[in-house]
Structures are given as structure tokens and as C-alpha cells.
């Protein structure tokens, strides 16, 4: 959750950093993971992958994380909720819905690939 921690990890040879608030904002003044992500990406350097976790609930969250430099987006709760609510069929429905949301957000932003999202960066979010 802090760019200094990410920089220390890279300094000791880590090749991937995960940005996570460990399942929730138990400490109210703590920043949201999307708010700290750009600084962590910047301090991690080009040779380190950054995985965004925490707070991802819909397709727009995925696109925002990718636009802010995340290499990969992890989801903890939504798939577990879908599986618990209705088993495999509901999980598949949730995944298909998420894919549709990602496509819609990308289309509204005028990008057609994840690479384009990475290249457009934060400026793309201002156009949405």
C-alpha cells in the first residue's frame, strides 16, 4: 500500500508486487488501492509487474487498474460470492458479465485492447 515498500521489494529482487489492502479498509483513513496504485507502479520500475487486488467489483474497476499501470488484476470476493450464491453456473454468469462490462468500458473510452488501455493510461479515464 506504499510506494516505499514496493521500491524495497524491487531492491531485493522481487519481480512482482501485489497492491492489496488485505480484504478491506479496516483502518478508515487508509487510502483506496486505486489511489496508491500509480505511485507504486512508478516506484516499482519497468522490470517489475504490479498486480492490483482489493476493491475490484466490476469491469470499470478492472479497466481503471489497468489504465493506472497494473499488469494484472486479481479478484477475491466477487467470484467467491457468485460461487456461494449459485454454484458453477452463477460463477460463469458473473465472469461473462464482468467481461461484458470490461468491453463496454473500453468501447466508451475508445480503446480496443488491453495494450491500448496500458498505452492510453490515466488520460483515457478522463475521457470516459
Amino acid at each position: 500500500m506504499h510506494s516505499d515498500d514496493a521500491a524495497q521489494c524491487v531492491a531485493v529482487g522481487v519481480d512482482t508486487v501485489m497492491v492489496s489492502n488485505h480484504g478491506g479498509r479496516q483502518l478508515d483513513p487508509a487510502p483506496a488501492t486505486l489511489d496508491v496504485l500509480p505511485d507504486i507502479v512508478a516506484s516499482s520500475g519497468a522490470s517489475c509487474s504490479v498486480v492490483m487486488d482489493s476493491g475490484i467489483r466490476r469491469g470499470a474497476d478492472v479497466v481503471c487498474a489497468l489504465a493506472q499501470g497494473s499488469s494484472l488484476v486479481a479478484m477475491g470476493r466477487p467470484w467467491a460470492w457468485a460461487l456461494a450464491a449459485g454454484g458453477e453456473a452463477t460463477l460463469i454468469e458473473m465472469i461473462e458479465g464482468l467481461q461484458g462490462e470490461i468491453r463496454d468500458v473500453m468501447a466508451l473510452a475508445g480503446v480496443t485492447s488491453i495494450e491500448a488501455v496500458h498505452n492510453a493510461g490515466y488520460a483515457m479515464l478522463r475521457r470516459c
Side-chain angles (χ1 to χ4, degrees):
M1 289 293 292
H2 199 279
S3 59
D4 291 347
D5 293 334
Q8 278 186 306
C9 290
V10 173
V12 296
V14 204
D15 60 8
T16 302
V17 172
M18 181 170 273
V19 181
S20 176
N21 63 9
H22 307 290
R25 293 178 58 192
Q26 291 85 359
L27 183 60
D28 284 343
T33 50
L34 274 174
D35 292 338
V36 299
L37 179 62
D39 290 339
I40 292 173
V41 168
S43 69
S44 298
S47 64
C48 183
S49 296
V50 177
V51 178
M52 171 65 184
D53 185 28
S54 302
I56 304 296
R57 300 290 179 265
R58 54 201 170 116
D61 298 332
V62 172
V63 176
C64 286
L66 293 171
Q68 291 189 73
S70 182
S71 310
L72 184 73
V73 178
M75 295 183 80
R77 292 182 184 172
W79 70 265
W81 291 335
L83 193 60
E88 182 179 356
T90 304
L91 176 60
I92 291 169
E93 183 179 332
M94 186 277 304
I95 292 169
E96 289 171 348
L98 183 66
Q99 289 171 328
E101 291 172 2
I102 292 168
R103 279 191 304 270
D104 290 348
V105 171
M106 289 173 59
L108 289 169
V111 294
T112 58
S113 70
I114 299 300
E115 182 180 2
V117 171
H118 284 294
N119 291 337
Y122 188 72
M124 179 198 75
L125 300 176
R126 295 289 188 196
R127 293 192 315 253
C128 293

